[in-house]
Amino acid sequence: MSVPPPPEPIPGARLLFSLDPAISHLNHGSFGAVPVLVQRAQQRLRDEMEADPLRFFTQGLADRIAHARRHLAGFLGADADGTALTANATTGVAVVLQSLGLRPGDEVLTTDHGYGAVEFSVQRECRRTGATHRVLRLPLTASDEEVVQIVRDGLRPGRTRLLVIDQLTSATAWLLPTAAIVGVAREHGVSVLVDAAHAPGMLPATVRSVGADFWVGNLHKWGYAPRGTAVLVVAPPWRERIEPLVVSWEQEAGFPARLEWQATADYTAWLSAPVGLYALRSLGVDRVREHNATLAAYGQRVVGDALGVPPADLPDPGGPTVAMRLVPLPAGLATTMDAARALQARIAERLATQVAVMTWNGRGWLRLCGQVYNSADEYDRLAGRLPALLAQR
């Protein structure tokens, strides 16, 4: 079966970024890449802050943050009054967990596709409160209907207080049927926290269409915002129960201000985040989504072919706009986190290529991303050189 053709490049898109041209950056999903015009907007805000810090922090900053919040919430299809800016999705998860009031006998349910730092946060909160953490196993080959049924069977009404589910998994690049899962949980009286770290900018689904009690998403990955920009969206019944991890001067103002205001934090990332959405809209949101997903699919096939992986064994991400794809590595490679990190570093050093090497279910996986600054020949070069590097065990 032939490899599907790559998409036509978006003219001028590569020039929007300051990435090192000597390196193939095929791992946008980890830390993103900030367009130059966004970098400059943030630097202007930093210059303003340093020119008169007292004025910057005390005259209108809260209003400026609220304005940025409303802009971002509108793009995401979220209620601005129920949206709070935060540092990253993991911080938002920690806020939710410590606001729940978990007690002995309560249970937090996650899946084996969850993000590692989120799992650590759940484990710590359960240790602190005496609650229980339980993990559902989702086979990578499961259909949407099968996933929903596994979740339905795994809920324990009266005991399961919170279900944490990924909208798009990080380790396995899998788009889960989130809205259907939320519906099942609601039928059983279970609250849901959706980890949508990769959703903003990549996925067209709105926050409202998901309908979760809590939704967290990063803007610095696929929304072209500076790093340190994320949102926590909270359903109305929960908003007054949300408490910040650190109490500061806006505590009495309620949600979302009590969560956002952290005194001398650097707010320039949040204030310049709307410029990232401007860059995305200038390129064409739908155009970028289609380009990135098509390019990631091309990379998956050419690298998979090079490693001898049949097309039928390449995982399907489950959605037409998913711009991350998995390629299984040969058996015995990257089976532990340390081994995965070592292989990722070796690929970066010897092949001048940044990729994500993941460990999941006892096997190593290569996660490839597609972004407007990438080109088909970068995946071709990786496919041509990677087999020899992997053979050097």
Side-chain angles (χ1 to χ4, degrees):
M1 189 178 296
S2 61
V3 175
E8 288 294 323
I10 297 178
R14 177 65 179 83
L15 299 176
L16 296 177
F17 299 86
S18 55
L19 294 164
D20 185 346
I23 299 171
S24 293
H25 301 271
L26 307 182
N27 186 19
H28 186 88
S30 284
F31 297 101
V34 183
V36 173
L37 75 163
V38 183
Q39 295 178 41
R40 291 174 177 168
Q42 185 178 18
Q43 188 57 54
R44 286 193 295 271
L45 286 162
R46 285 176 171 155
D47 292 343
E48 177 190 344
M49 177 173 62
E50 297 306 331
D52 192 341
L54 188 63
R55 178 183 178 86
F56 182 86
F57 281 98
T58 62
Q59 297 188 26
L61 179 56
D63 290 338
R64 296 172 77 175
I65 293 172
H67 177 76
R69 179 208 311 138
R70 287 192 293 270
H71 191 103
L72 300 177
F75 175 80
L76 297 171
D79 178 2
D81 292 333
T83 301
L85 291 165
T86 187
N88 51 43
T90 310
T91 301
V93 169
V95 167
V96 171
L97 288 171
Q98 63 93 37
S99 298
L100 283 175
L102 294 172
R103 297 174 295 180
D106 290 339
E107 175 183 84
V108 178
L109 190 60
T110 65
T111 79
D112 58 344
H113 296 260
Y115 188 61
V118 171
E119 294 293 298
F120 291 151
S121 189
V122 170
Q123 292 165 9
R124 186 183 70 171
E125 191 64 17
C126 287
R127 286 195 303 268
R128 190 181 70 83
T129 61
T132 301
H133 175 212
R134 186 161 57 91
V135 180
L136 287 178
R137 308 295 175 186
L138 301 180
L140 194 55
T141 55
S143 67
D144 284 357
E145 293 76 15
E146 289 169 335
V147 169
V148 172
Q149 188 60 49
I150 290 170
V151 172
R152 179 182 285 111
D153 293 342
L155 296 173
R156 296 174 178 174
R159 181 172 182 181
T160 306
R161 284 285 309 282
L162 182 71
L163 168 65
V164 183
I165 195 80
D166 293 76
Q167 190 163 350
L168 177 63
T169 65
S170 177
T172 51
W174 186 12
L175 183 64
L176 295 177
T178 315
I181 291 171
V182 171
V184 167
R186 183 175 292 113
E187 292 172 4
H188 291 78
V190 175
S191 300
V192 182
L193 166 58
V194 172
D195 181 354
H198 290 275
M202 185 203 293
L203 304 180
T206 64
V207 176
R208 289 189 185 92
S209 69
V210 174
D213 299 270
F214 313 100
W215 187 98
V216 292
N218 290 322
L219 272 296
H220 74 263
K221 294 179 182 287
W222 306 91
Y224 297 162
R227 294 169 197 90
T229 306
V231 295
L232 166 62
V233 184
V234 179
W238 289 97
R239 290 174 190 172
E240 289 311 308
R241 297 175 59 179
I242 294 295
E243 293 287 346
L245 299 177
V246 178
V247 173
S248 193
W249 286 101
E250 292 296 318
Q251 179 65 17
E252 299 304 314
F255 183 88
R258 67 162 54 135
L259 193 65
E260 293 173 336
W261 188 261
Q262 291 295 308
T264 52
D266 185 347
Y267 300 99
T268 60
W270 298 356
L271 298 181
S272 53
V275 183
L277 296 185
Y278 170 80
L280 180 58
R281 288 182 170 119
S282 296
L283 294 172
V285 179
D286 292 339
R287 183 186 191 190
V288 168
R289 286 171 174 158
E290 180 181 0
H291 171 276
N292 292 348
T294 303
L295 190 56
Y298 173 82
Q300 181 190 43
R301 283 294 303 275
V302 296
V303 175
D305 283 356
L307 298 182
V309 181
D313 292 341
L314 294 172
D316 182 351
T321 66
V322 176
M324 302 194 301
R325 296 280 181 138
L326 283 189
V327 178
L329 291 170
L333 286 180
T335 57
T336 68
M337 186 68 72
D338 287 343
R341 289 170 177 164
L343 178 57
Q344 181 171 312
R346 193 151 58 100
I347 293 172
E349 178 183 358
R350 299 190 183 183
L351 304 186
T353 301
Q354 294 289 359
V355 295
V357 179
M358 321 297 284
T359 297
W360 183 81
N361 204 23
R363 181 162 191 176
W365 304 81
L366 194 71
R367 192 189 72 185
L368 298 172
C369 297
Q371 189 47 264
V372 296
Y373 51 72
N374 294 130
S375 58
D377 64 289
E378 293 178 296
Y379 305 90
D380 296 338
R381 287 197 300 270
L382 178 63
R385 301 175 64 191
L386 184 61
L389 183 143
L390 297 182
Q392 301 170 3
R393 301 201 182 189

